[in-house]
Amino acid sequence: MSTVQSPWPSGTECIAKYNFLATAEQDLPFSKGDVLTIVSVTKDPNWYKAKNKVGREGIIPANYVQKREGVKSGTKLSLMPWFHGKITREQAERLLYPPETGLFLVRESTNYPGDYTLCVSCDGKVEHYHIIYSSSKLTIDEEVYFENLMQLVEHYTSDADGLCTHLIKPKLMEGTVAAQDEFSRSGWALNMKDLKLLQTIGKGEFGDVMLGDYRGNKVAVKCIKHDATAQAFLAEASVMTQMRHKNLVQLLGVIVEEKSGLFIVTEFMAKGSLVDYLRSRGRSVLGGDFLIKFSLDVCEAMEYLEDNNFVHRDLAARNVLVSEDNIAKVSDFGLTKEASATQDMGKLPVKWTAPEALREKKFSTKSDVWSFGVLLWEIYSFGRVPYPRIALKDVVPRVEKGYKMDAPDSCPPVVYDVMKHCWNLDTCLRPSFRQLRQQLEHIKAKELYL
């Protein structure tokens, strides 16, 4: 057995590369793909003490598991790293030089705008196959039809089926990394065989969110179908691999399937979104202790993002989920980017977005703080839509003149003061999430929320 170079610290997550059957009483058996957490190093560096998902502890061989790492930020992941966009026939031929039979790429056709061309190197020359777009399907020979380019490439990789050769080696676009390779390398690729999709629990423009069963555990699964949309969600998944906090919805892994798209598997949050939870329970069920707890849960997650220089950009009660044991966790990293990147303005939720972010596209932790103030208002109004009785077009002009929403009914004055601090037009005068957590902890400790 090879020795382990540097021991992994306690709490490190790893994923099993092989099956391991216990041969001694202290061993912890596991199956390939299981996620384990290191408890401690043993005297022998080839063995770790670890625990599994249900908390059982035991000894495991170090070389049977792979450490889970975050996908490196800045890595340009692609579901289609062989797709080179709009390049000419001549450029494609230069990219496929020196000739190597089975080397291929796909480009956008210059002769047929909107269509694609599959370019394949074969016996020293390059063949160009026009991919026809017909009745929302793709085909080369008008005999076999595909939903998307990934399916088409998968088909011709396993079978030449009339082409000069089957596809052997993709010519990767410079700077891109194949998503499947990167998720496998960093220990986040799951196997579709282990996942059962049970029922739809939500619908989005990107596809469905489904309740699933992954190796006997309930999970939530975002099923993203289309090439372009799936590509956008890779960014969300890669951000989630870097994030670990008890108040952030935890990514369990990613499945990249050529035939059916992308699946992002996360922990299942049994009680749904915080906004629906607040609306359905209301004042008669949820006392002030619940409201301050939810406020702190979200604040702690946001302090963690702040410490890691990440900006959420879409913080709202609809994007906070509630677990079976009433823990609120921030989800939906669809807009999350490293601090200060710019964003498509068409999709921004006006009532939750800070004025400077709407006006100048300036996103920062301080714009998240503004949104947190609105989320606090949602919590203490039991899920009402912010800025009631104000037309959407009038919200921004009024806010920029200094308008602040009134306190929700029965909201403790100390909590309303926190909201108002979040809504300072001067970003420098807004508190940090660390300061907000300290204020909320003080309110909770002194029972000022009652």
Side-chain angles (χ1 to χ4, degrees):
M1 241 180 215
S2 61
T3 57
V4 179
Q5 296 304 309
S6 57
W8 299 334
S10 170
T12 299
E13 255 193 7
C14 52
I15 193 159
K17 296 191 288 184
Y18 316 104
N19 295 334
F20 174 61
L21 296 171
T23 53
E25 195 180 325
Q26 73 267 29
D27 290 351
L28 177 67
F30 52 78
S31 303
K32 181 181 176 182
D34 282 357
V35 176
L36 304 159
T37 305
I38 301 300
V39 175
S40 60
V41 190
T42 65
K43 286 186 182 131
D44 181 345
N46 294 306
W47 297 83
Y48 282 112
K49 185 175 187 186
K51 65 178 176 185
N52 62 18
K53 278 290 179 207
V54 295
R56 185 177 163 198
E57 294 190 359
I59 305 299
I60 64 166
N63 61 352
Y64 273 51
V65 292
Q66 170 191 358
K67 183 178 177 181
R68 273 190 151 182
E69 300 168 7
V71 171
K72 294 183 186 73
S73 54
T75 305
K76 192 172 177 207
L77 297 184
S78 177
L79 290 171
M80 307 183 291
W82 31 258
F83 180 64
H84 289 249
K86 211 173 258 184
I87 58 170
T88 63
R89 185 185 184 98
E90 292 69 35
Q91 285 170 309
E93 291 180 359
R94 281 202 295 277
L95 284 167
L96 296 174
Y97 186 85
E100 184 182 338
T101 294
L103 185 66
F104 73 95
L105 62 81
V106 178
R107 62 184 171 88
E108 209 173 309
S109 173
T110 41
N111 295 341
Y112 305 93
D115 280 2
Y116 303 108
T117 304
L118 172 64
C119 311
V120 191
S121 177
C122 185
D123 297 336
K125 60 182 196 292
V126 175
E127 300 288 348
H128 298 264
Y129 297 95
H130 175 210
I131 300 171
I132 304 155
Y133 185 72
S134 162
S135 339
S136 302
K137 295 264 171 68
L138 301 173
T139 181
I140 287 177
D141 55 11
E142 299 193 52
E143 286 180 17
V144 195
Y145 288 84
F146 307 96
E147 296 284 338
N148 55 44
L149 288 173
M150 292 186 289
Q151 278 185 20
L152 180 142
V153 165
E154 162 94 345
H155 175 78
Y156 289 109
T157 299
S158 52
D159 185 352
D161 197 14
L163 304 188
C164 57
T165 171
H166 70 285
L167 308 179
I168 299 169
K169 183 178 167 188
K171 175 68 183 177
L172 304 187
M173 186 172 174
E174 200 174 335
T176 59
V177 178
Q180 177 61 36
D181 295 349
E182 180 57 20
F183 286 125
S184 297
R185 182 202 68 74
S186 53
W188 290 94
L190 301 182
N191 195 321
M192 194 71 198
K193 292 201 296 283
D194 295 325
L195 179 69
K196 290 192 199 80
L197 296 173
L198 304 174
Q199 67 190 74
T200 303
I201 51 177
K203 285 191 181 294
E205 49 199 273
F206 56 83
D208 294 342
V209 180
M210 297 194 74
L211 171 64
D213 179 293
Y214 184 75
R215 299 187 158 191
N217 295 313
K218 277 186 179 176
V219 293
V221 187
K222 274 186 183 173
C223 311
I224 299 132
K225 295 193 179 76
H226 307 293
D227 294 352
T229 322
Q231 185 62 46
F233 273 90
L234 285 178
E236 171 172 7
S238 63
V239 164
M240 290 181 81
T241 66
Q242 300 165 47
M243 299 292 162
R244 290 279 201 305
H245 189 275
K246 64 183 174 62
N247 297 113
L248 290 176
V249 172
Q250 182 60 51
L251 176 73
L252 300 176
V254 179
I255 299 169
V256 180
E257 279 277 302
E258 269 84 0
K259 291 188 172 60
S260 43
L262 177 70
F263 299 87
I264 298 177
V265 184
T266 65
E267 63 178 313
F268 174 62
M269 302 291 282
K271 294 186 175 174
S273 80
L274 178 57
V275 72
D276 292 339
Y277 187 78
L278 291 163
R279 286 172 183 170
S280 60
R281 272 49 169 205
R283 286 173 206 284
S284 55
V285 178
L286 300 176
D289 51 342
F290 271 101
L291 304 187
I292 195 75
K293 182 195 168 304
F294 288 149
S295 306
L296 263 166
D297 283 349
V298 175
C299 195
E300 286 182 35
M302 295 309 297
E303 183 184 354
Y304 172 83
L305 293 185
E306 174 178 77
D307 288 345
N308 285 280
N309 202 31
F310 270 83
V311 179
H312 189 285
R313 299 166 176 242
D314 196 11
L315 184 60
R318 64 181 170 275
N319 290 333
V320 174
L321 301 177
V322 182
S323 71
E324 182 62 57
D325 48 358
N326 288 327
I327 296 169
K329 303 192 185 193
V330 174
S331 79
D332 209 323
F333 295 83
L335 296 175
T336 308
K337 299 281 186 302
E338 283 186 58
S340 84
T342 56
Q343 168 64 33
D344 170 10
M345 302 309 285
K347 297 177 182 166
L348 291 176
V350 169
K351 290 184 174 186
W352 284 264
T353 306
E356 74 279 1
L358 289 169
R359 192 176 56 242
E360 301 153 42
K361 305 188 183 180
K362 279 192 180 163
F363 287 88
S364 65
T365 293
K366 291 302 175 82
S367 57
D368 276 350
V369 166
W370 178 286
S371 306
F372 180 71
V374 180
L375 184 143
L376 277 182
W377 190 93
E378 289 184 277
I379 289 174
Y380 279 85
S381 66
F382 294 89
R384 286 187 74 191
V385 176
Y387 300 97
R389 297 183 294 282
I390 298 179
L392 187 60
K393 65 179 174 48
D394 298 331
V395 169
V396 177
R398 288 189 64 174
V399 164
E400 292 199 319
K401 288 190 184 117
Y403 172 79
K404 291 180 171 70
M405 282 188 281
D406 293 335
D409 292 345
S410 309
C411 174
V414 283
V415 176
Y416 183 51
D417 285 343
V418 173
M419 292 178 204
K420 287 191 292 190
H421 287 146
C422 295
W423 300 330
N424 204 306
L425 289 174
D426 183 343
T427 55
C428 301
L429 296 177
R430 288 177 209 157
S432 65
F433 280 109
R434 172 156 297 181
Q435 290 166 325
L436 285 165
R437 174 182 54 78
Q438 289 165 347
Q439 287 169 10
L440 292 170
E441 281 178 345
H442 175 75
I443 290 167
K444 185 182 181 193
K446 300 287 186 197
E447 299 193 338
L448 303 173
Y449 58 85
L450 296 174

